[in-house]
Amino acid sequence: MVRIVYLNYGFLDMMFIEDEEREAIEQFWGIFGSPDTPRNTGGIRVLDVSQALNEKDLGGYQMGIVAKEVA
Protein backbone atom coordinates (compact mmCIF):
# COMPACT_ATOMS: atom_id res chain seq x y z
CA MET A 1 0.00 0.00 0.00
CA VAL A 2 1.28 3.45 -0.94
CA ARG A 3 0.61 6.58 1.14
CA ILE A 4 0.68 9.88 -0.74
CA VAL A 5 0.86 12.94 1.51
CA TYR A 6 -0.07 16.17 -0.22
CA LEU A 7 -1.04 19.77 0.36
CA ASN A 8 -4.51 20.61 -0.92
CA TYR A 9 -4.44 24.42 -1.05
CA GLY A 10 -2.54 24.50 2.25
CA PHE A 11 -4.34 21.67 4.04
CA LEU A 12 -2.44 18.45 4.63
CA ASP A 13 -4.24 15.39 3.30
CA MET A 14 -3.44 11.78 2.37
CA MET A 15 -4.44 9.21 -0.17
CA PHE A 16 -3.85 5.47 0.17
CA ILE A 17 -3.60 3.35 -2.97
CA GLU A 18 -3.19 -0.43 -3.24
CA ASP A 19 -0.69 -0.37 -6.09
CA GLU A 20 2.98 0.03 -6.86
CA GLU A 21 4.46 3.47 -6.21
CA ARG A 22 4.71 4.54 -9.86
CA GLU A 23 1.13 3.51 -10.65
CA ALA A 24 -0.13 5.15 -7.43
CA ILE A 25 1.43 8.47 -8.41
CA GLU A 26 -0.11 8.26 -11.88
CA GLN A 27 -3.51 7.50 -10.34
CA PHE A 28 -3.14 10.44 -7.96
CA TRP A 29 -2.34 12.88 -10.75
CA GLY A 30 -5.14 11.37 -12.84
CA ILE A 31 -7.52 12.51 -10.11
CA PHE A 32 -5.97 15.84 -9.11
CA GLY A 33 -4.01 16.81 -12.20
CA SER A 34 -4.89 18.91 -15.18
CA PRO A 35 -3.41 18.58 -18.66
CA ASP A 36 -2.65 22.32 -18.77
CA THR A 37 -1.00 22.56 -15.34
CA PRO A 38 2.40 21.04 -14.57
CA ARG A 39 2.48 18.74 -11.55
CA ASN A 40 3.20 20.31 -8.14
CA THR A 41 2.53 23.83 -9.37
CA GLY A 42 -1.01 24.68 -8.37
CA GLY A 43 -3.02 24.18 -5.29
CA ILE A 44 -2.04 20.50 -5.07
CA ARG A 45 1.55 19.65 -4.07
CA VAL A 46 2.85 16.18 -3.21
CA LEU A 47 5.00 16.18 -0.08
CA ASP A 48 5.75 12.50 0.44
CA VAL A 49 5.21 9.14 -1.25
CA SER A 50 5.97 6.11 0.91
CA GLN A 51 4.80 2.65 1.94
CA ALA A 52 2.05 2.27 4.54
CA LEU A 53 0.83 -0.76 6.46
CA ASN A 54 -2.84 0.26 6.17
CA GLU A 55 -5.08 3.35 6.08
CA LYS A 56 -4.42 4.02 9.76
CA ASP A 57 -0.65 4.34 9.17
CA LEU A 58 -0.31 8.12 8.93
CA GLY A 59 3.49 8.07 8.91
CA GLY A 60 3.76 10.72 11.61
CA TYR A 61 1.68 13.28 9.71
CA GLN A 62 -1.38 15.00 11.10
CA MET A 63 -4.11 15.41 8.50
CA GLY A 64 -6.05 18.61 8.12
CA ILE A 65 -3.49 21.01 9.56
CA VAL A 66 -2.60 24.11 7.61
CA ALA A 67 0.96 23.95 6.36
CA LYS A 68 3.17 26.57 4.74
CA GLU A 69 5.99 25.90 2.35
CA VAL A 70 9.24 27.54 3.20
CA ALA A 71 11.85 27.93 0.48
Side-chain angles (χ1 to χ4, degrees), residues 2 4 8-9 19-20 35 52-53 62 70:
V2 176
I4 300 176
N8 187 354
Y9 292 91
D19 233 334
E20 295 296 319
L53 299 174
Q62 185 177 359
V70 179

Side-chain angles (χ1 to χ4, degrees), residues 3-7 10-12 14 17 19 21 23-24 28 36 39 43 48 50 52-53 55 59 66-67 69:
R3 173 183 53 244
I4 300 176
V5 180
Y6 62 98
L7 285 177
F11 288 94
L12 195 69
M14 292 181 199
I17 299 174
D19 233 334
E21 191 171 308
E23 289 84 13
F28 176 86
D36 302 328
R39 294 177 176 182
D48 183 45
S50 56
L53 299 174
E55 288 89 6
V66 178
E69 288 191 56

Side-chain angles (χ1 to χ4, degrees), residues 1-63:
M1 175 171 284
V2 176
R3 173 183 53 244
I4 300 176
V5 180
Y6 62 98
L7 285 177
N8 187 354
Y9 292 91
F11 288 94
L12 195 69
D13 208 349
M14 292 181 199
M15 180 178 284
F16 295 90
I17 299 174
E18 280 284 348
D19 233 334
E20 295 296 319
E21 191 171 308
R22 183 178 299 245
E23 289 84 13
I25 293 169
E26 290 304 317
Q27 285 182 36
F28 176 86
W29 286 115
I31 295 167
F32 288 107
S34 170
D36 302 328
T37 306
R39 294 177 176 182
N40 270 358
T41 60
I44 307 293
R45 293 180 184 268
V46 173
L47 299 178
D48 183 45
V49 178
S50 56
Q51 294 294 317
L53 299 174
N54 55 38
E55 288 89 6
K56 294 179 182 178
D57 181 2
L58 302 181
Y61 291 97
Q62 185 177 359
M63 292 183 4

